[in-house]
Amino acid sequence: MKRKTKWLSVMLCLVVFATMALGSGSTDSGETKQVVTNSGTGTETTNDSDSTDNQSTDSAVSSNVAVTIDEQILVDQDNIVITAKEYVTDSIWGDGIKLLLENNSDKDVMVGCNALIVNDYMITDLFASEVAAGKKANETLYLSSTQLNAAGIENVGKVEIYFHVFDSTTFDNICDTECVTIQTSEYANMDTTPNDAGSELYNEGGIRIVGKTVDENSFWGTAILLYCENNSGKNVGISVDNMSINGFMMSPFFSTTVYDGKKSIDEITIFSSDLEENGIESIEEVELKFHIYDADSFSTIADSEPITFSAQ
């Protein structure tokens, strides 16, 4: 049931997610403030890749390197064959992997992803393709340029995919694949330096969360950019509870899944309507709690104490 619910939500929200991926300005507006923790509640962190005045999250990451991949079969099970054909770049959608999907079963199927990981960073995917029984389809799995930019990924060296295939009529699960890995021509040049410059907000049990920037002019309202790193031994989900801004309770939009050994760059979104209803024109103080849970069982791993920070 959890799988069915997830994929129904994915298909209904594709347009919304596409708008967010294309329209969010939190990573390139040039008007962001830095997250600053109150005295004694956090640690300022820097790394060599972010030592310049403008972090990589504040400007579009671009590369003139032509990335290529070898054609390869990624999945061949339960009468479903998925082949990676080539690495492509689109002027609107950005970089992607062109896939040949072959449905050799007697059922109409939907092919999507449980997880997409680029250079060890979790990346939100918009991929969902229906293939009728006995048919084939050429589709492209795009890698969100907004999230690649936020992670500071200039050249894609490694793409990891967990495919999810289900009956498009009954929503019954057909298969969830193990991780399939594509190494590109830039694998040897892949930068693995974590983009973790900012103020450390949480660091317990192998879970580390760093507050990076606050953008008060993002697409939906205000966006707080977080770096999350998971070395806990489990795949985890992270959400936010009891969030207030300038003392007023908010209803933030934030939920991220970070697989073990991986990282993510994600935004806490505060809608402009929430801010306007409370007369908030500038972010002065933020307080929240992080809820961390097992992504597979949904059991609670930890609930943080209240964490307070500001934007400067």
Side-chain angles (χ1 to χ4, degrees), residues 264-284:
S264 75
I265 298 283
D266 273 305
E267 296 175 347
I268 302 174
T269 298
I270 302 98
F271 295 104
S272 55
S273 57
D274 272 1
L275 299 172
E276 292 167 1
E277 288 172 1
N278 292 288
I280 298 174
E281 297 181 356
S282 180
I283 308 299
E284 296 173 3

Side-chain angles (χ1 to χ4, degrees), residues 62-229:
S62 62
S63 173
N64 294 322
V65 177
V67 178
T68 61
I69 62 170
D70 295 329
E71 182 174 322
Q72 56 201 276
I73 294 176
L74 304 177
V75 176
D76 187 357
Q77 67 181 83
D78 298 295
N79 294 311
I80 304 298
V81 181
I82 303 174
T83 304
K85 302 292 289 184
E86 61 178 322
Y87 193 96
V88 297
T89 300
D90 182 87
S91 59
I92 296 176
W93 292 99
D95 292 1
I97 307 293
K98 186 175 181 180
L99 302 173
L100 173 62
L101 311 176
E102 300 179 70
N103 178 10
N104 299 316
S105 74
D106 58 359
K107 302 175 181 178
D108 297 342
V109 303
M110 184 72 74
V111 181
C113 298
N114 281 328
L116 173 64
I117 306 166
V118 178
N119 293 15
D120 291 330
Y121 277 87
M122 308 296 297
I123 300 293
T124 301
D125 72 273
L126 304 176
F127 184 73
S129 178
E130 186 169 15
V131 187
K135 304 300 181 182
K136 304 176 183 180
N138 284 304
E139 298 286 356
T140 300
L141 172 59
Y142 285 106
L143 317 176
S144 167
S145 57
T146 299
Q147 291 189 308
L148 295 184
N149 289 346
I153 297 174
E154 296 187 11
N155 296 321
V156 174
K158 179 175 66 173
V159 180
E160 297 170 273
I161 311 168
Y162 292 78
F163 284 104
H164 174 53
V165 184
F166 61 93
D167 187 309
S168 60
T169 301
T170 65
F171 292 94
D172 289 338
N173 187 62
I174 293 176
C175 67
D176 290 299
T177 72
E178 297 295 323
C179 179
V180 295
T181 302
I182 302 170
Q183 293 185 2
T184 79
S185 55
E186 285 298 297
Y187 180 77
N189 302 320
M190 184 175 65
D191 183 7
T192 58
T193 303
N195 189 15
D196 63 349
S199 294
E200 188 173 272
L201 304 177
Y202 182 88
N203 191 347
E204 293 183 22
I207 308 297
R208 182 167 174 255
I209 304 172
V210 175
K212 294 178 68 64
T213 60
V214 176
D215 183 358
E216 296 179 336
N217 297 290
S218 75
F219 186 80
W220 296 107
T222 291
I224 301 172
L225 195 66
L226 302 179
Y227 166 88
C228 303
E229 183 178 323

Side-chain angles (χ1 to χ4, degrees), residues 200-209 228-238 258-262 292-294 300-304:
E200 188 173 272
L201 304 177
Y202 182 88
N203 191 347
E204 293 183 22
I207 308 297
R208 182 167 174 255
I209 304 172
C228 303
E229 183 178 323
N230 175 19
N231 294 300
S232 69
K234 300 177 180 179
N235 297 337
V236 305
I238 304 172
V258 188
Y259 278 26
D260 182 42
K262 306 303 179 182
I292 302 167
Y293 56 93
D294 187 304
T300 297
I301 294 174
D303 287 303
S304 75

